[in-house]
Amino acid sequence: MRPDRVEVSWDNDKSKWLVRITMGGEVLRRHCDAAKNADEQSLRSAAQDIVRDEGYELNGTELSIRR
């Protein structure tokens, strides 16, 4: 299955990157330990790993990174 949307953003409260996986009305939230100044490729790779771990496929088009 492919998620509708995956968004990566900085969570100031946890001081970690937050990956939101949206599938229909369900939203999964997972944190990753990438550095705050991580480059886009590192964040994409971390998000793809998290999405895969949750049992979804990601082709990259529905992935957005908010800084």
Side-chain angles (χ1 to χ4, degrees):
M1 288 191 336
R2 292 179 190 233
D4 296 329
R5 192 173 82 217
V6 177
E7 180 181 286
V8 181
S9 61
W10 183 254
D11 183 345
N12 282 322
D13 293 336
K14 301 270 184 182
S15 295
K16 292 185 178 193
W17 287 99
L18 175 63
V19 179
R20 286 184 192 89
I21 305 168
T22 305
M23 183 69 174
E26 181 179 350
V27 178
L28 298 174
R29 292 173 177 85
R30 302 291 182 261
H31 286 91
C32 73
D33 292 326
K36 184 175 184 179
N37 62 349
D39 63 3
E40 185 170 327
Q41 184 59 37
S42 297
L43 294 174
R44 284 187 178 278
S45 178
Q48 287 174 338
D49 290 344
I50 290 170
V51 169
R52 192 176 315 113
D53 289 346
E54 293 297 329
Y56 295 104
E57 295 176 13
L58 183 65
N59 65 10
T61 58
E62 61 274 315
L63 174 65
S64 64
I65 299 173
R66 292 187 329 159
R67 294 207 176 249

